[in-house]
């Protein structure tokens, strides 16, 4: 039947780039934390080397993520209302508390991971020593009992961090999944898809950050780190497999759901094909998967870097396709709702990204990033030759 | 029993003059580019078998409003009489309600910087007047009143006419009813818009 609308009012897409980026950042925070908790929490020894790199990255990403939301508010000064008025039926209201609990838990966890290194770094003098002294809050005890306590507490807060990480990103899936008005969002798979793609992008970014930290802190990538990166790349391969499987399941059920679900699926394939198929699923998932299938590629740093960068781009495209694409489908009227990114939004996104890079670089350069293995070797050497050595493999 | 306000729009009487839209803008000082109340018009078929349909839209003041459920600060609230309102002093402008409303009823008022929508002209109703759109409707197509009062016009129409609401499947339980609304106007024809239809 031919239908012609000749009067309709325009509508606007209100959740744009900033919201997509917020989901993206919390995802990478949760993903990188869960990955690096494999050492401290799940006791997989080789991952202990990188828990410190991972937790700093997770904390910084998570602290900057909500800035996107703050800038997106029409009344940013009223954000305090989020704390004073709780609505238990709103997923956004759940998030307010998770966004405080999760980084708080991670900071306590990180403190126990770093404490002994802070104490060891006290005698080097200068800015770092003053910083460490401040961060230690007077807890300089280096007895065996206190070292054991550090280990115990790190495990406790790390273990608490895992469900919090799942929740802090899972809840963002509920933000979209609970909206029954939009078939493209309204699926119980949404929190799981968000979590899985977060594992993929979190791992991808973590690999790159780890390489940079190792390179700048220790001058080169040691063999054990190279082996670990190959290992993480193997994990990333499986994350992509699960994420891809979820995407396929999501899409098939969307296709066979309601008329608006089918239209949403058709929209993703055709109207958004370039971004949905091309960027998100082929370039962002299939290509890295194909690269990582080969053991040789997993052991080659350039190949792993390419795969990581592709997943990071792919998951960003996925967040944008879901958040913004989901609102392009009209709820009333007769037209696709157009989205135009404002220059202000792009400036905010770039500004926050730059701030994250600056803060991460600063933290990685001032914090003692020495790790089990490298650190112990240096200590033994140091004790034999110069007793007053800094004892840090830098 | 308390009051339960509802609106019935009889499309047999709607002439498509958009006076409701204009009255609403003027009564509620709605900024340019956004609408609390508007009329969609469409034509279907091929000459000589054609028909023309109109659908005045406004907030449905749902019994189970999505917008209220998702608001993180409880700025959207529902009165005893069913009217769904926004506390403009509390709203933080997160726009979740706008994303969640199945009816595009909400928008950001760029001057007030909060979410906004039709209030069933709450202030007028409290003063014993009819909502501006009902008051101005030249065809007399709009009825407003208390569903819990069996003698009210809306209660009588609901009892005697075949009525429909927009998107009942969403469990919002909208309380703006239509008589003789065309299905093609009640929801967007997505297969036409996006493609994928035969």
């Amino acid at each position: 039947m031919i239908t012609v609308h000749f009067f309709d009012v325009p509508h606007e897409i209100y959740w744009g780039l900033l919201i997509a980026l917020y989901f993206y950042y919390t995802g990478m925070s949760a993903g990188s934390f869960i990955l690096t908790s494999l050492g401290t929490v799940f006791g997989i020894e080789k991952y202990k080397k990188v828990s410190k790199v991972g937790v700093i990255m997770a904390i910084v990403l998570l602290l900057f993520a909500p800035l996107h939301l703050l800038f997106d508010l029409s009344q940013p000064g009223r954000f305090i209302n989020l704390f004073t008025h709780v609505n238990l039926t709103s997923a956004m209201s759940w998030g307010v508390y998770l966004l405080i609990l999760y980084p708080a838990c991670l900071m306590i966890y990180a403190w126990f991971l770093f404490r002994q290194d802070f104490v060891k770094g006290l005698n080097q003098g200068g800015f770092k020593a003053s910083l460490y002294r401040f961060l230690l809050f007077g807890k300089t005890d280096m007895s065996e009992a206190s070292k054991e306590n550090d280990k115990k507490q790190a495990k406790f807060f790390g273990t608490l961090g895992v469900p919090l990480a799942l929740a802090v990103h899972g809840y963002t899936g509920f933000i979209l999944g609970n909206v029954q008005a939009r078939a493209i969002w309204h699926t119980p798979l949404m929190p799981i898809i968000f979590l899985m793609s977060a594992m993929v992008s979190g791992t991808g970014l973590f690999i790159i950050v780890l390489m940079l930290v190792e390179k700048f802190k220790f001058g080169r990538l040691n063999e054990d780190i190279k082996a670990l990166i190959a290992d993480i790349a193997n994990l990333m391969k499986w994350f992509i497999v699960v994420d891809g499987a979820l995407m396929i399941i999501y899409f098939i059920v969307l296709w066979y759901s309601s008329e608006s679900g089918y239209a949403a699926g058709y929209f993703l394939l055709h109207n958004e094909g370039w971004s949905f198929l091309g960027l998100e699923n082929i370039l962002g998932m299939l290509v890295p998967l194909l690269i990582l299938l080969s053991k040789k590629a997993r052991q080659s740093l350039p190949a792993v870097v390419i795969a990581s960068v592709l997943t990071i781009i792919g998951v960003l495209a996925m967040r944008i396709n879901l958040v913004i694409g989901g609102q392009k489908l009209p709820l009333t009227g007769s037209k696709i709702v157009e989205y135009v990114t404002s220059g202000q939004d792009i400036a905010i996104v770039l500004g926050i990204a730059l701030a994250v890079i600056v803060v991460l670089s600063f933290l990685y350069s001032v914090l003692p990033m020495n790790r089990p293995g490298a650190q112990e070797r240096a200590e033994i050497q140091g004790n034999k030759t110069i007793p007053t050595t800094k004892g840090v493999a830098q | 029993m308390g009051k339960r306000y509802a609106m019935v729009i009889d499309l047999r009487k709607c002439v498509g003059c958009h006076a409701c839209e204009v009255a609403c803008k003027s009564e509620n000082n709605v900024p340019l580019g956004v609408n609390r109340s508007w009329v969609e018009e469409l034509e279907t078929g091929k000459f000589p078998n054609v028909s023309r349909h109109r659908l005045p839209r406004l907030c449905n003041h749902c019994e189970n409003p999505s917008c209220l459920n998702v608001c993180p600060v409880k700025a959207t609230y529902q009165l005893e009489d069913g009217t769904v309102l926004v506390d403009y002093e509390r709203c933080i402008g997160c726009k979740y309600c706008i994303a969640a409303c199945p009816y595009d009823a909400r928008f950001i008022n760029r001057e007030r910087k909060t979410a906004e929508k039709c209030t069933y002209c709450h202030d007028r109703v409290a003063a014993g007047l009819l909502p501006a759109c009902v008051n101005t409707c030249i065809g007399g197509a709009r009825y407003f009143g208390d569903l819990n009062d069996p003698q009210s016009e809306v209660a009588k129409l609901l009892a005697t006419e075949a009525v429909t609401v927009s998107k009942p499947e969403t469990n919002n339980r909208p309380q703006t009813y239509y008589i003789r609304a065309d299905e093609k106007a009640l929801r967007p024809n997505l297969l036409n818009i996006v493609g994928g239809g035969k």
Side-chain angles (χ1 to χ4, degrees), chain A residues 137-158:
Chain A
F137 302 111
K139 301 275 190 294
T140 51
D141 187 3
M142 285 293 267
S143 65
E144 279 311 311
S146 122
K147 281 184 182 173
E148 198 49 43
N149 182 51
D150 285 346
K151 214 170 152 187
K152 221 175 87 189
Q153 299 292 346
K155 179 152 189 191
F156 174 78
F157 284 101

PDB file of all heavy atoms in Angstrom, chain A residues 137-158:
ATOM      1  N   PHE A 137      50.204   6.550  53.169  1.00  0.00           N
ATOM      2  CA  PHE A 137      49.430   6.900  54.373  1.00  0.00           C
ATOM      3  C   PHE A 137      50.092   6.314  55.617  1.00  0.00           C
ATOM      4  O   PHE A 137      49.407   5.793  56.514  1.00  0.00           O
ATOM      5  CB  PHE A 137      47.987   6.409  54.270  1.00  0.00           C
ATOM      6  CG  PHE A 137      47.270   6.944  53.073  1.00  0.00           C
ATOM      7  CD1 PHE A 137      46.935   6.094  52.027  1.00  0.00           C
ATOM      8  CD2 PHE A 137      46.933   8.285  52.972  1.00  0.00           C
ATOM      9  CE1 PHE A 137      46.278   6.590  50.910  1.00  0.00           C
ATOM     10  CE2 PHE A 137      46.281   8.775  51.864  1.00  0.00           C
ATOM     11  CZ  PHE A 137      45.951   7.924  50.827  1.00  0.00           C
ATOM     12  N   GLY A 138      51.418   6.310  55.637  1.00  0.00           N
ATOM     13  CA  GLY A 138      52.139   5.845  56.818  1.00  0.00           C
ATOM     14  C   GLY A 138      52.268   4.333  56.957  1.00  0.00           C
ATOM     15  O   GLY A 138      52.878   3.845  57.909  1.00  0.00           O
ATOM     16  N   LYS A 139      51.708   3.592  56.024  1.00  0.00           N
ATOM     17  CA  LYS A 139      51.755   2.119  56.156  1.00  0.00           C
ATOM     18  C   LYS A 139      53.034   1.584  55.499  1.00  0.00           C
ATOM     19  O   LYS A 139      53.014   1.069  54.389  1.00  0.00           O
ATOM     20  CB  LYS A 139      50.529   1.503  55.492  1.00  0.00           C
ATOM     21  CG  LYS A 139      49.196   1.971  56.082  1.00  0.00           C
ATOM     22  CD  LYS A 139      48.834   1.132  57.301  1.00  0.00           C
ATOM     23  CE  LYS A 139      47.411   1.405  57.750  1.00  0.00           C
ATOM     24  NZ  LYS A 139      47.202   2.776  58.257  1.00  0.00           N
ATOM     25  N   THR A 140      54.164   1.723  56.206  1.00  0.00           N
ATOM     26  CA  THR A 140      55.437   1.347  55.601  1.00  0.00           C
ATOM     27  C   THR A 140      55.947   0.002  56.113  1.00  0.00           C
ATOM     28  O   THR A 140      57.076  -0.385  55.838  1.00  0.00           O
ATOM     29  CB  THR A 140      56.502   2.421  55.886  1.00  0.00           C
ATOM     30  OG1 THR A 140      56.492   2.684  57.285  1.00  0.00           O
ATOM     31  CG2 THR A 140      56.215   3.701  55.135  1.00  0.00           C
ATOM     32  N   ASP A 141      55.143  -0.684  56.867  1.00  0.00           N
ATOM     33  CA  ASP A 141      55.530  -1.967  57.444  1.00  0.00           C
ATOM     34  C   ASP A 141      55.908  -2.965  56.349  1.00  0.00           C
ATOM     35  O   ASP A 141      55.137  -3.215  55.432  1.00  0.00           O
ATOM     36  CB  ASP A 141      54.339  -2.508  58.263  1.00  0.00           C
ATOM     37  CG  ASP A 141      54.710  -3.750  59.021  1.00  0.00           C
ATOM     38  OD1 ASP A 141      55.887  -4.152  58.951  1.00  0.00           O
ATOM     39  OD2 ASP A 141      53.815  -4.309  59.698  1.00  0.00           O
ATOM     40  N   MET A 142      57.134  -3.530  56.443  1.00  0.00           N
ATOM     41  CA  MET A 142      57.540  -4.483  55.420  1.00  0.00           C
ATOM     42  C   MET A 142      57.768  -5.874  56.006  1.00  0.00           C
ATOM     43  O   MET A 142      58.502  -6.687  55.453  1.00  0.00           O
ATOM     44  CB  MET A 142      58.824  -3.997  54.727  1.00  0.00           C
ATOM     45  CG  MET A 142      58.572  -2.869  53.757  1.00  0.00           C
ATOM     46  SD  MET A 142      57.611  -3.383  52.332  1.00  0.00           S
ATOM     47  CE  MET A 142      58.923  -3.795  51.194  1.00  0.00           C
ATOM     48  N   SER A 143      57.124  -6.151  57.149  1.00  0.00           N
ATOM     49  CA  SER A 143      57.269  -7.481  57.747  1.00  0.00           C
ATOM     50  C   SER A 143      56.586  -8.519  56.868  1.00  0.00           C
ATOM     51  O   SER A 143      55.744  -8.180  56.030  1.00  0.00           O
ATOM     52  CB  SER A 143      56.655  -7.483  59.146  1.00  0.00           C
ATOM     53  OG  SER A 143      55.263  -7.261  59.013  1.00  0.00           O
ATOM     54  N   GLU A 144      56.959  -9.765  57.075  1.00  0.00           N
ATOM     55  CA  GLU A 144      56.352 -10.849  56.283  1.00  0.00           C
ATOM     56  C   GLU A 144      54.838 -10.859  56.463  1.00  0.00           C
ATOM     57  O   GLU A 144      54.085 -11.062  55.514  1.00  0.00           O
ATOM     58  CB  GLU A 144      56.947 -12.202  56.698  1.00  0.00           C
ATOM     59  CG  GLU A 144      58.300 -12.509  56.056  1.00  0.00           C
ATOM     60  CD  GLU A 144      58.318 -12.297  54.545  1.00  0.00           C
ATOM     61  OE1 GLU A 144      57.395 -12.798  53.873  1.00  0.00           O
ATOM     62  OE2 GLU A 144      59.230 -11.613  54.039  1.00  0.00           O
ATOM     63  N   ALA A 145      54.421 -10.624  57.709  1.00  0.00           N
ATOM     64  CA  ALA A 145      52.982 -10.666  57.995  1.00  0.00           C
ATOM     65  C   ALA A 145      52.255  -9.594  57.193  1.00  0.00           C
ATOM     66  O   ALA A 145      51.181  -9.829  56.631  1.00  0.00           O
ATOM     67  CB  ALA A 145      52.746 -10.444  59.479  1.00  0.00           C
ATOM     68  N   SER A 146      52.888  -8.427  57.102  1.00  0.00           N
ATOM     69  CA  SER A 146      52.203  -7.346  56.398  1.00  0.00           C
ATOM     70  C   SER A 146      52.224  -7.591  54.892  1.00  0.00           C
ATOM     71  O   SER A 146      51.270  -7.253  54.175  1.00  0.00           O
ATOM     72  CB  SER A 146      52.846  -6.015  56.796  1.00  0.00           C
ATOM     73  OG  SER A 146      53.334  -5.340  55.694  1.00  0.00           O
ATOM     74  N   LYS A 147      53.319  -8.238  54.404  1.00  0.00           N
ATOM     75  CA  LYS A 147      53.347  -8.588  52.980  1.00  0.00           C
ATOM     76  C   LYS A 147      52.253  -9.612  52.661  1.00  0.00           C
ATOM     77  O   LYS A 147      51.586  -9.547  51.632  1.00  0.00           O
ATOM     78  CB  LYS A 147      54.713  -9.172  52.615  1.00  0.00           C
ATOM     79  CG  LYS A 147      55.781  -8.111  52.434  1.00  0.00           C
ATOM     80  CD  LYS A 147      57.079  -8.739  51.986  1.00  0.00           C
ATOM     81  CE  LYS A 147      58.162  -7.689  51.853  1.00  0.00           C
ATOM     82  NZ  LYS A 147      59.470  -8.282  51.577  1.00  0.00           N
ATOM     83  N   GLU A 148      52.086 -10.515  53.594  1.00  0.00           N
ATOM     84  CA  GLU A 148      51.059 -11.555  53.417  1.00  0.00           C
ATOM     85  C   GLU A 148      49.676 -10.897  53.394  1.00  0.00           C
ATOM     86  O   GLU A 148      48.811 -11.259  52.603  1.00  0.00           O
ATOM     87  CB  GLU A 148      51.180 -12.548  54.579  1.00  0.00           C
ATOM     88  CG  GLU A 148      50.509 -13.888  54.366  1.00  0.00           C
ATOM     89  CD  GLU A 148      50.871 -14.521  53.021  1.00  0.00           C
ATOM     90  OE1 GLU A 148      52.054 -14.498  52.611  1.00  0.00           O
ATOM     91  OE2 GLU A 148      49.938 -15.020  52.348  1.00  0.00           O
ATOM     92  N   ASN A 149      49.529  -9.889  54.274  1.00  0.00           N
ATOM     93  CA  ASN A 149      48.258  -9.165  54.340  1.00  0.00           C
ATOM     94  C   ASN A 149      47.979  -8.439  53.015  1.00  0.00           C
ATOM     95  O   ASN A 149      46.852  -8.460  52.511  1.00  0.00           O
ATOM     96  CB  ASN A 149      48.291  -8.164  55.496  1.00  0.00           C
ATOM     97  CG  ASN A 149      46.969  -7.436  55.629  1.00  0.00           C
ATOM     98  OD1 ASN A 149      45.924  -8.078  55.686  1.00  0.00           O
ATOM     99  ND2 ASN A 149      47.011  -6.114  55.652  1.00  0.00           N
ATOM    100  N   ASP A 150      49.019  -7.825  52.433  1.00  0.00           N
ATOM    101  CA  ASP A 150      48.854  -7.155  51.137  1.00  0.00           C
ATOM    102  C   ASP A 150      48.276  -8.131  50.119  1.00  0.00           C
ATOM    103  O   ASP A 150      47.351  -7.810  49.376  1.00  0.00           O
ATOM    104  CB  ASP A 150      50.208  -6.673  50.605  1.00  0.00           C
ATOM    105  CG  ASP A 150      50.695  -5.446  51.349  1.00  0.00           C
ATOM    106  OD1 ASP A 150      49.880  -4.837  52.055  1.00  0.00           O
ATOM    107  OD2 ASP A 150      51.889  -5.127  51.212  1.00  0.00           O
ATOM    108  N   LYS A 151      48.860  -9.306  50.117  1.00  0.00           N
ATOM    109  CA  LYS A 151      48.466 -10.320  49.137  1.00  0.00           C
ATOM    110  C   LYS A 151      46.998 -10.708  49.343  1.00  0.00           C
ATOM    111  O   LYS A 151      46.213 -10.803  48.404  1.00  0.00           O
ATOM    112  CB  LYS A 151      49.357 -11.549  49.325  1.00  0.00           C
ATOM    113  CG  LYS A 151      49.666 -12.278  48.047  1.00  0.00           C
ATOM    114  CD  LYS A 151      50.734 -13.321  48.324  1.00  0.00           C
ATOM    115  CE  LYS A 151      50.589 -14.477  47.365  1.00  0.00           C
ATOM    116  NZ  LYS A 151      51.493 -15.565  47.715  1.00  0.00           N
ATOM    117  N   LYS A 152      46.679 -10.878  50.643  1.00  0.00           N
ATOM    118  CA  LYS A 152      45.318 -11.304  50.982  1.00  0.00           C
ATOM    119  C   LYS A 152      44.292 -10.229  50.604  1.00  0.00           C
ATOM    120  O   LYS A 152      43.271 -10.498  49.991  1.00  0.00           O
ATOM    121  CB  LYS A 152      45.255 -11.576  52.497  1.00  0.00           C
ATOM    122  CG  LYS A 152      44.455 -12.813  52.854  1.00  0.00           C
ATOM    123  CD  LYS A 152      44.539 -13.092  54.343  1.00  0.00           C
ATOM    124  CE  LYS A 152      43.472 -12.329  55.091  1.00  0.00           C
ATOM    125  NZ  LYS A 152      43.639 -12.385  56.553  1.00  0.00           N
ATOM    126  N   GLN A 153      44.648  -8.981  50.980  1.00  0.00           N
ATOM    127  CA  GLN A 153      43.720  -7.884  50.696  1.00  0.00           C
ATOM    128  C   GLN A 153      43.578  -7.660  49.193  1.00  0.00           C
ATOM    129  O   GLN A 153      42.480  -7.392  48.703  1.00  0.00           O
ATOM    130  CB  GLN A 153      44.199  -6.591  51.359  1.00  0.00           C
ATOM    131  CG  GLN A 153      44.297  -6.651  52.869  1.00  0.00           C
ATOM    132  CD  GLN A 153      42.934  -6.760  53.522  1.00  0.00           C
ATOM    133  OE1 GLN A 153      41.908  -6.541  52.885  1.00  0.00           O
ATOM    134  NE2 GLN A 153      42.913  -7.140  54.779  1.00  0.00           N
ATOM    135  N   ALA A 154      44.712  -7.748  48.472  1.00  0.00           N
ATOM    136  CA  ALA A 154      44.646  -7.555  47.018  1.00  0.00           C
ATOM    137  C   ALA A 154      43.728  -8.603  46.417  1.00  0.00           C
ATOM    138  O   ALA A 154      42.912  -8.312  45.535  1.00  0.00           O
ATOM    139  CB  ALA A 154      46.038  -7.655  46.405  1.00  0.00           C
ATOM    140  N   LYS A 155      43.844  -9.814  46.920  1.00  0.00           N
ATOM    141  CA  LYS A 155      42.993 -10.870  46.377  1.00  0.00           C
ATOM    142  C   LYS A 155      41.530 -10.578  46.710  1.00  0.00           C
ATOM    143  O   LYS A 155      40.643 -10.744  45.870  1.00  0.00           O
ATOM    144  CB  LYS A 155      43.413 -12.233  46.935  1.00  0.00           C
ATOM    145  CG  LYS A 155      42.537 -13.334  46.415  1.00  0.00           C
ATOM    146  CD  LYS A 155      43.209 -14.669  46.334  1.00  0.00           C
ATOM    147  CE  LYS A 155      42.261 -15.592  45.586  1.00  0.00           C
ATOM    148  NZ  LYS A 155      42.624 -16.965  45.635  1.00  0.00           N
ATOM    149  N   PHE A 156      41.295 -10.105  47.940  1.00  0.00           N
ATOM    150  CA  PHE A 156      39.909  -9.836  48.342  1.00  0.00           C
ATOM    151  C   PHE A 156      39.290  -8.732  47.483  1.00  0.00           C
ATOM    152  O   PHE A 156      38.224  -8.901  46.896  1.00  0.00           O
ATOM    153  CB  PHE A 156      39.855  -9.438  49.822  1.00  0.00           C
ATOM    154  CG  PHE A 156      38.478  -9.015  50.270  1.00  0.00           C
ATOM    155  CD1 PHE A 156      37.509  -9.970  50.541  1.00  0.00           C
ATOM    156  CD2 PHE A 156      38.141  -7.665  50.367  1.00  0.00           C
ATOM    157  CE1 PHE A 156      36.231  -9.582  50.920  1.00  0.00           C
ATOM    158  CE2 PHE A 156      36.857  -7.279  50.748  1.00  0.00           C
ATOM    159  CZ  PHE A 156      35.909  -8.249  51.031  1.00  0.00           C
ATOM    160  N   PHE A 157      40.016  -7.592  47.385  1.00  0.00           N
ATOM    161  CA  PHE A 157      39.430  -6.470  46.636  1.00  0.00           C
ATOM    162  C   PHE A 157      39.417  -6.748  45.134  1.00  0.00           C
ATOM    163  O   PHE A 157      38.529  -6.297  44.427  1.00  0.00           O
ATOM    164  CB  PHE A 157      40.156  -5.163  46.981  1.00  0.00           C
ATOM    165  CG  PHE A 157      39.760  -4.640  48.331  1.00  0.00           C
ATOM    166  CD1 PHE A 157      40.577  -4.828  49.436  1.00  0.00           C
ATOM    167  CD2 PHE A 157      38.543  -4.010  48.502  1.00  0.00           C
ATOM    168  CE1 PHE A 157      40.194  -4.371  50.689  1.00  0.00           C
ATOM    169  CE2 PHE A 157      38.146  -3.550  49.750  1.00  0.00           C
ATOM    170  CZ  PHE A 157      38.976  -3.737  50.844  1.00  0.00           C
ATOM    171  N   GLY A 158      40.416  -7.506  44.679  1.00  0.00           N
ATOM    172  CA  GLY A 158      40.406  -7.901  43.268  1.00  0.00           C
ATOM    173  C   GLY A 158      39.204  -8.784  42.964  1.00  0.00           C
ATOM    174  O   GLY A 158      38.525  -8.625  41.953  1.00  0.00           O
TER     175      GLY A 158
END
